[in-house]
Amino acid sequence: PGKRTAVLTWNVEASGAGKVVVYVVGKDGQEHHFGRGGPVGERQTGPWLQPGLTFKLRNADGGAELGSITISKAASC
C-alpha cells in the first residue's frame, strides 16, 4: 500500500470558539501541534498518515478539547 494523505475538516462554530488549534497525538501519547485556524477549517496531512493516529481539536483560548478523531484501519475514500 502506498502512502496516504487526507484532509482533516472541522466545524465547531456552535462551541463559540473563535480560534482552534489542531494536534496530532503521537504513539507516546504526546500532543504535537499540527495546525490552527478559525472555527471552520481544514488542513491536509502529509504522507505520514496511518491508522491509529488521533487528531484533537482544542479551543485556542484556554485549550478545552472540542473534538477528536482516530484514523481507522478501514478508512478509504
Side-chain angles (χ1 to χ4, degrees):
K3 299 286 186 182
R4 297 188 186 255
T5 63
V7 176
L8 185 68
T9 62
W10 63 88
N11 182 339
V12 294
E13 282 184 308
S15 73
K19 299 270 185 197
V20 300
V21 182
V22 184
Y23 295 92
V24 62
V25 181
K27 291 182 180 181
D28 57 3
Q30 294 292 313
E31 294 181 7
H32 304 277
H33 184 269
F34 176 63
R36 58 178 53 241
V40 178
E42 66 180 36
R43 172 95 191 224
Q44 183 164 345
T45 71
W48 43 262
L49 185 68
Q50 59 183 317
L53 281 180
T54 297
F55 292 88
K56 287 188 178 181
L57 192 66
R58 294 188 176 277
N59 189 333
D61 182 23
E65 185 174 326
L66 301 171
S68 67
I69 187 170
T70 300
I71 305 303
S72 73
K73 291 180 181 177
S76 62
C77 297

